[in-house]
Amino acid sequence: MKIVDARVIVCSPGRNFVTLKLTTEDGLHGLGDATLNGRELAVAAYLTEHVVPLLIGRDARRIEDTWQYLYKGAYWRRGPVTMTAIAAVDTALWDILGKAADLPVYRLLGGASREAVLVYGHANGKDLEDTVRAVGTYAAMGYKAIRAQSGIPGIASTYGVGKGSMSYEPAERGLPPESVWSTEPYLDFVPSLFTRLRQEHGPELHLLHDVHHRLTPIEAGRPGRAPEPHRLFRMEDPVPAELQEGFRLIRRHTTTPIAVGEVFNSIHDCQQLIQEQLIDYVRSTVVHAGGITHLRKIAHLAELFHVRTGCHGATDLSPVCMAAALHFDLSIHNFGIQEYMPHNDETLRVFPHHYRFADGYMHPGEAPGLGVEIDEGLAARYPYQRAYLPVNRKEDGTMHSW
Ligand code: KDG
Ligand code: MG
């Protein structure tokens, strides 16, 4: 089953997506998401210039060998651009294998470990009461798990707090906008958010919160410890994860479960965090962590150390990644939760799909392969548009993480 064609499709139906389409001599095709937010064209060029020529003529069934060939064969290992490109190839090969076997990918991965995949939605509000209302809206839609992000009194605009009611788009077109961050008002405010959410919505909902890497480990102890009586499902990205010893300090100060890893791209980024049980959820997902093949290795390592998965699922991951993540989530034993931000209607028209949401859970569907396609004619009507994630500075102008 030789690969005879490999094409990179870049489109922007409201935001940029990079999609790899592989076709075999039997006429089967498979899709892989290759979208790296704000750096999309780097992956497109990596694929077109350096990977596509290596794929033509290869046996599409040799998924593990192709993964190792692209990873080890390049000499230059890891990194978000490389690993996103490898992920796209890997995902497309699983899609092809599923179509060849006439089975949904989750069945190739060992079959369903659960009936459906618990997802969390994004409730955003400009202030505390607005966020309390937004959580209520999500609960009314059937979500069992909800991430709550609120505007902070005294901070003009906060990254990660959506402007629309249903989802937020992290990137903005044009050059990167800048926002100003101040840790103290955030630390003062955030405990009141969860007290109020429990008062209004009771004890049952799973409540999540994303700190967006903005704190130091000792600062992160506070938004971890203060809401402990309100049982946060997890606190995400309390600190940047390059210095992994920092998580030991966080662990000494709070029992709130910790999630990290949406920016990780290989098992080596989370090996220490997992083996020392410094985190509870690993957030890496298919598109940025080397595809289904590599993400399974991360999940299997995590399973040994009581760490569960919690795949990134923001709108900058295309429906192809969403479908792949759902097949992965359904099959692995130590699944924890899946992030779900519904795409806009234009995106959903460009990527017809079989996955579905009902009553707080998702399912990838039973179509052979991933169950997602790309309407290339429609995609061509949405050409690439330069866009970046915002950057964040402190009040004195120093660059900050967001
Ligand atoms: O591209 C980056 C976004 O997807 C990310 O900032 C969103 O933090 C995010 C999340 O948890 O979805
Ligand atoms: Mg996040």
Side-chain angles (χ1 to χ4, degrees):
M1 198 199 285
K2 285 200 172 71
I3 299 169
V4 292
D5 190 38
R7 280 186 314 112
V8 178
I9 303 159
V10 180
C11 64
S12 194
R15 67 135 19 257
N16 294 315
F17 294 113
V18 180
T19 309
L20 177 69
K21 181 171 182 177
L22 301 182
T23 307
T24 69
E25 58 188 344
D26 320 68
L28 294 174
H29 67 266
L31 299 180
D33 183 18
T35 308
L36 185 61
N37 203 3
R39 297 294 185 271
E40 293 88 355
L41 298 185
V43 187
Y46 188 105
L47 281 168
T48 308
E49 303 298 332
H50 305 294
V51 175
V52 163
L54 306 176
L55 297 177
I56 306 303
R58 291 186 70 83
D59 185 341
R61 292 166 298 195
R62 296 186 60 173
I63 298 179
E64 177 71 28
D65 182 58
T66 300
W67 195 97
Q68 300 293 345
Y69 180 82
L70 295 175
Y71 182 80
K72 295 184 173 153
Y75 186 77
W76 309 105
R77 297 182 184 196
R78 304 165 62 187
V81 174
T82 298
M83 297 302 279
T84 301
I86 295 177
V89 176
D90 183 78
T91 309
L93 293 180
W94 281 105
D95 193 17
I96 288 172
L97 192 65
K99 287 172 179 162
D102 199 26
L103 289 171
V105 165
Y106 78 84
R107 290 199 192 271
L108 304 178
L109 303 178
S113 284
R114 56 197 51 78
E115 302 309 316
V117 169
L118 177 70
V119 297
Y120 68 91
H122 280 219
N124 300 297
K126 60 180 184 322
D127 56 26
L128 192 147
E129 289 308 320
D130 203 26
T131 309
V132 171
R133 273 192 295 278
V135 167
T137 305
Y138 274 82
M141 286 188 288
Y143 283 87
K144 312 278 182 265
I146 302 171
R147 184 187 104 156
Q149 304 294 128
S150 171
I152 314 290
I155 304 183
S157 82
T158 313
Y159 175 79
V161 181
K163 298 185 188 82
S165 56
M166 275 308 297
S167 64
Y168 84 95
E169 167 47 59
E172 291 188 33
R173 285 186 171 158
L175 295 177
E178 299 205 356
S179 55
V180 176
W181 174 254
S182 179
T183 295
E184 292 73 18
Y186 171 76
L187 292 180
D188 289 344
F189 170 78
V190 87
S192 61
L193 176 63
F194 293 99
T195 308
R196 183 78 187 89
L197 284 171
R198 283 295 182 217
Q199 265 171 5
E200 188 70 22
H201 297 296
E204 274 175 30
L205 284 177
H206 296 306
L207 294 175
L208 294 80
H209 182 65
D210 191 349
V211 185
H212 287 292
H213 314 104
R214 289 171 180 135
L215 302 178
T216 65
I218 199 67
E219 286 167 351
R222 291 181 60 196
R225 179 177 288 184
E228 278 173 13
H230 305 304
R231 189 183 37 77
L232 247 61
F233 187 92
R234 70 174 201 207
M235 171 167 73
E236 173 178 332
D237 288 343
V239 298
E242 288 98 326
L243 181 70
Q244 307 207 333
E245 290 86 335
F247 286 79
R248 290 195 203 118
L249 194 51
I250 299 174
R251 279 290 203 225
R252 287 210 283 274
H253 292 281
T254 177
T255 57
T256 292
I258 306 295
V260 78
E262 64 188 45
V263 303
F264 291 171
N265 51 70
S266 106
I267 198 166
H268 304 288
D269 295 327
C270 47
Q271 179 198 345
Q272 179 189 1
L273 292 174
I274 290 172
Q275 289 185 330
E276 289 191 38
Q277 301 181 55
L278 297 176
I279 59 171
D280 302 279
Y281 296 91
V282 57
R283 296 253 312 132
S284 317
T285 194
V286 175
V287 58
H288 298 140
I292 293 172
T293 297
H294 194 64
L295 198 60
R296 286 176 91 201
K297 293 180 185 179
I298 294 177
H300 293 333
L301 175 69
E303 184 182 345
L304 300 182
F305 296 96
H306 307 288
V307 176
R308 285 178 283 173
T309 64
C311 290
H312 188 198
T315 39
D316 50 292
L317 318 181
S318 91
V320 178
C321 177
M322 190 69 207
L326 290 170
H327 286 279
F328 166 84
D329 296 336
L330 197 65
S331 64
I332 51 153
H333 173 68
N334 55 325
F335 164 77
I337 198 163
Q338 168 70 50
E339 180 179 12
Y340 176 46
M341 284 172 67
H343 291 99
N344 66 23
D345 290 344
E346 294 151 295
T347 299
L348 296 176
R349 278 194 291 275
V350 169
F351 295 96
H353 56 275
H354 284 81
Y355 59 76
R356 56 184 189 270
F357 170 88
D359 209 21
Y361 290 84
M362 290 184 78
H363 194 283
E366 299 297 337
L370 295 174
V372 59
E373 290 301 333
I374 185 165
D375 180 336
E376 291 188 60
L378 191 55
R381 288 201 230 149
Y382 299 105
Y384 169 79
Q385 306 226 11
R386 189 176 309 285
Y388 291 93
L389 287 161
V391 297
N392 209 5
R393 291 186 187 276
K394 294 183 188 175
E395 283 161 315
D396 70 353
T398 312
M399 273 293 295
H400 195 60
S401 332
W402 47 256

